[in-house]
Amino acid sequence: MILTVTLNTALDITYRVPALAPHTSHRVEEVVERPGGKGLNVARVLSALGHESVVTGFAGGPAGALLRRLLAPLPPHDALVPIAGTTRRTIAVVDGSTGDTTQLNEPGPVIAPEEWAALLDRYTALLASARAVALCGSLPPGLHVGAYAELIRRARAAEVPVLLDTSGEPLRRGVAARPDLVKPNAAELAQLTGGHDPLHAAHDARRRGAHAVIASLGPAGLLAVTPEGSWQAAPPAPAAGNPTGAGDSAVAALLAGLVEGLPWPRRLARAVALSTATVLAPAAGEYDRAAYERLLPLVDVSERAGPA
């Protein structure tokens, strides 16, 4: 199975309105609620790709209870740790006239030391049967910035490949713990390394400890710098829609490709096609299967030379 860790889970709520205008009232045409947070989105896509997945992290309060009820009938197995605080909500407002999305993200609950200890125990036990692990998203209040680094060290001790998808100081600390993969976007990569050329910055991130770096370039696709070489994969055209979960679909494709032993160009083509198909889907954490199958052979994957 593939394990995903979401320390700051969320109840994702998507509102669809005819047109979004500041300083006015809006009639909501549709409301969709989904169990959310990056790792839960990753796990749902992994399940759709045919991989058994288990989710762990924290859930609590009314929003956490609803999240777990919504998660119960889905393929990912629930190994979330209960907490006293209340799971955050994320609100996506989709403008029907343009397809653009406005996102509002709550900070999340405060995690007590004993709750973190319970998570570590569960995580360590789950690693025993994991083929790969993804550590995804922001840290909730109360957790130290080295939390992901600690989880990476435990995965490495268990000889389980680990992917890190976070930002800021948790990313910097995590990279120093030597994860197998990191997946920052271009801005997060620049913040980590101080370099604004993604190719140079990705090489710098590898020197800092990451075994392989897959950088999201937005509409331009993905850049991968790995021990086997460097590639850029781009969709045939930009996609308009709800971007929530698009990066998580890319993570799912990368993890699936890792455990299946696919070569990097095929992993990247899958990741770009899946993330683009997720933008085209109506709700967060889902992807348009027909769009994915149509896009996959159209993704352009080209080899990149190293920096001078």
Side-chain angles (χ1 to χ4, degrees):
M1 65 87 171
I2 299 175
L3 174 63
T4 72
V5 179
T6 310
L7 298 178
N8 207 7
T9 58
L11 178 64
D12 283 342
I13 303 170
T14 301
Y15 293 140
R16 185 172 295 275
V17 299
L20 184 63
H23 316 300
T24 63
S25 297
H26 295 79
R27 184 175 298 278
V28 176
E29 295 181 328
E30 181 184 29
V31 180
V32 178
E33 294 177 318
R34 293 285 187 275
K38 294 179 73 64
L40 273 73
N41 291 338
V42 170
R44 292 211 306 277
V45 176
L46 281 168
S47 297
L49 292 173
H51 288 273
E52 180 186 7
S53 58
V54 174
V55 297
T56 192
F58 300 110
L66 177 54
L67 181 153
R68 299 188 81 167
R69 287 199 301 274
L70 293 170
L71 184 61
L74 301 177
H77 300 291
D78 179 352
L80 296 168
V81 173
I83 56 171
T86 297
T87 296
R88 67 189 178 127
R89 296 163 299 173
T90 64
I91 312 296
V93 183
V94 180
D95 184 330
S97 65
T98 65
D100 292 336
T101 300
T102 298
Q103 192 79 19
L104 304 172
N105 296 332
E106 296 178 356
V110 175
I111 304 301
E114 60 271 18
E115 293 167 340
W116 173 240
L119 184 283
L120 287 176
D121 289 343
R122 183 160 299 181
Y123 174 76
T124 303
L126 289 167
L127 284 175
S129 55
R131 299 179 65 193
V133 58
L135 310 175
C136 302
S138 61
L139 296 179
L143 285 189
H144 59 91
V145 292
Y148 280 134
E150 185 171 355
L151 297 180
I152 290 166
R153 288 190 289 268
R154 292 193 179 215
R156 288 180 57 81
E159 299 183 339
V160 178
V162 56
L163 181 152
L164 177 64
D165 183 11
T166 189
S167 60
E169 187 64 13
L171 174 62
R172 190 182 72 81
R173 299 284 187 96
V175 165
R178 306 185 67 81
D180 296 270
L181 300 169
V182 294
K183 200 205 76 62
N185 61 36
E188 292 162 350
L189 188 58
Q191 184 181 22
L192 172 68
T193 65
H196 293 278
D197 175 78
L199 184 61
H200 284 75
H203 280 277
D204 190 357
R206 287 201 66 228
R207 287 190 290 270
R208 292 166 185 257
H211 188 67
V213 179
I214 299 86
S216 173
L217 306 179
L222 296 174
L223 170 70
V225 175
T226 81
E228 292 79 26
S230 301
W231 295 269
Q232 184 165 342
N242 183 358
T244 305
D248 307 328
S249 290
V251 168
L254 294 169
L255 286 171
L258 185 155
V259 301
E260 293 170 22
L262 297 181
W264 275 107
R266 288 186 62 192
R267 296 189 208 182
L268 295 169
R270 264 194 187 181
V272 168
L274 266 176
S275 60
T276 305
T278 301
V279 173
L280 298 172
E286 298 179 354
Y287 70 93
D288 185 318
R289 185 178 294 274
Y292 167 65
E293 293 173 353
R294 173 177 56 82
L295 289 164
L296 183 57
L298 302 177
V299 175
D300 177 55
V301 183
S302 56
E303 197 163 3
R304 294 290 303 268

